[in-house]
């Protein structure tokens, strides 16, 4: 058990830079939620049971504007489609794991933990049968930080009004840049990032965050299309060699 525990601690340690960026984001969410249209219990429940920073902010803005439930669910669903790509890349490694592992791993699969774990796997960590304990350490660190920072934001929102205008959300933007750039090592990744960036800028003015939703769809479609094209090219090259 000791090596597994040490591996979990290493996962939490390697996630620390991501926690620095996520902490202000969680505080701002808690502040905005209790200052707006959500009760303290609803705010806490969203972070505990949803645990999806970008989707929580989108849902919060849509709730404040009186958007219907169906539109909120559809928008947050599309924004979170990128997690299907994360899950697909980890699928070969999680086959055979029991449900007690698969369920929490699916729930705790965030951008930050995926980036940290993927970096370790690419560095040879996929050969360690206990790699899932590394994932667990990263995920628990991320989850607990997000929930605690939401609570801190709820408390500070009453004591320090106007915190949302301090510009703390820039930390999360910088964190996402740090997540994305090191992963742009393949054509599918590059195609997904460029497509989503272009569509989000062009359609930024659409209501109900539709521009962001379409950008997410464009990124997923471009990434899957580029991956399929790369596989086809590799197959053609291998056939020619044969």
């Amino acid at each position: 058990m000791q090596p597994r525990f040490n591996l979990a601690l290493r996962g939490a340690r390697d996630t620390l830079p991501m926690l620095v960026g996520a902490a202000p984001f969680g505080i701002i969410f808690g502040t905005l939620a209790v200052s707006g249209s959500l009760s303290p219990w609803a705010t806490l429940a969203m972070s505990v049971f949803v645990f999806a920073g970008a989707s929580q902010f989108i849902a919060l803005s849509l709730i404040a504007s009186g958007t219907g439930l169906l539109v909120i669910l559809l928008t947050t669903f599309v924004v979170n489609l990128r997690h299907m790509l994360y899950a697909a890349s980890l699928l070969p490694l999680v086959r055979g794991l029991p449900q007690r592992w698969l369920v929490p791993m699916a729930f705790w699969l965030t951008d930050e933990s995926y980036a940290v774990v993927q970096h370790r796997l690419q560095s040879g960590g996929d050969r360690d049968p206990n790699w899932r304990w590394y994932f667990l350490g990263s995920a628990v660190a991320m989850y607990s930080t997000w929930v605690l920072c939401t609570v801190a934001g709820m408390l500070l929102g009453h004591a320090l009004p106007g915190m949302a205008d301090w510009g703390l959300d820039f930390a999360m933007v910088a964190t996402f840049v740090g997540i994305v750039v090191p992963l742009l090592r393949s054509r599918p990744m590059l195609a997904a990032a460029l497509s989503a960036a272009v569509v989000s800028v062009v359609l930024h003015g659409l209501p109900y965050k539709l521009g962001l939703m379409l950008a997410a769809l464009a990124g997923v479609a471009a990434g899957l299309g580029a991956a399929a094209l790369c596989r086809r090219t590799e197959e053609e090259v291998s056939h020619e060699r044969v």
Side-chain angles (χ1 to χ4, degrees), residues 5-64:
F5 181 73
N6 290 337
L7 203 57
L9 285 180
R10 191 178 306 167
R13 182 200 63 191
D14 292 347
T15 311
L16 281 176
M18 304 298 180
L19 301 183
V20 173
F25 206 49
I27 292 173
I28 292 174
F29 171 75
T31 301
L32 289 177
V34 296
S35 303
S37 51
L38 290 183
S39 67
W41 284 113
T43 301
L44 182 59
M46 186 177 283
S47 284
V48 170
F49 297 111
V50 178
F51 185 46
S55 294
Q56 288 181 223
F57 273 92
I58 292 171
L60 190 62
S61 64
L62 293 177
I63 292 171

Side-chain angles (χ1 to χ4, degrees), residues 5-222:
F5 181 73
N6 290 337
L7 203 57
L9 285 180
R10 191 178 306 167
R13 182 200 63 191
D14 292 347
T15 311
L16 281 176
M18 304 298 180
L19 301 183
V20 173
F25 206 49
I27 292 173
I28 292 174
F29 171 75
T31 301
L32 289 177
V34 296
S35 303
S37 51
L38 290 183
S39 67
W41 284 113
T43 301
L44 182 59
M46 186 177 283
S47 284
V48 170
F49 297 111
V50 178
F51 185 46
S55 294
Q56 288 181 223
F57 273 92
I58 292 171
L60 190 62
S61 64
L62 293 177
I63 292 171
S65 62
T67 306
L69 178 61
L70 182 60
V71 174
I72 295 174
L73 292 176
L74 180 61
T75 303
T76 53
F77 172 76
V78 172
V79 170
N80 279 332
L81 277 178
R82 67 191 187 279
H83 292 87
M84 293 181 65
L85 297 177
Y86 300 162
S89 69
L90 296 175
L91 187 59
L93 297 174
V94 300
R95 284 196 179 101
L97 289 180
Q99 286 293 110
R100 68 177 184 272
W101 272 102
L102 294 177
V103 172
M105 288 178 79
F107 176 70
W108 280 330
L109 185 59
T110 60
D111 302 286
E112 296 83 1
S113 288
Y114 175 79
V116 172
V117 172
Q118 186 66 13
H119 181 269
R120 177 175 177 81
L121 293 176
Q122 290 175 349
S123 302
D126 56 335
R127 292 188 291 270
D128 186 349
N130 292 319
W131 72 272
R132 60 186 182 272
W133 290 91
Y134 181 89
F135 178 96
L136 180 66
S138 173
V140 170
M142 198 71 215
Y143 181 67
S144 57
T145 298
W146 181 255
V147 173
L148 289 174
C149 287
T150 298
V151 174
M154 292 163 55
L155 298 175
L156 292 174
H158 298 291
L160 300 172
M163 275 190 65
D165 300 325
W166 291 8
L168 297 177
D169 50 335
F170 176 76
M172 198 59 183
V173 176
T175 300
F176 269 102
V177 171
I179 291 173
V180 172
V181 172
L183 294 177
L184 299 180
R185 299 180 179 179
S186 63
R187 291 178 181 177
M189 287 286 193
L190 189 60
L194 289 177
S195 300
V198 171
V199 173
S200 65
V201 171
V202 173
L203 303 181
H204 175 69
L206 292 180
Y208 302 122
K209 305 293 183 181
L210 288 175
L212 183 60
M213 184 166 61
L214 293 173
L217 283 174
V220 171

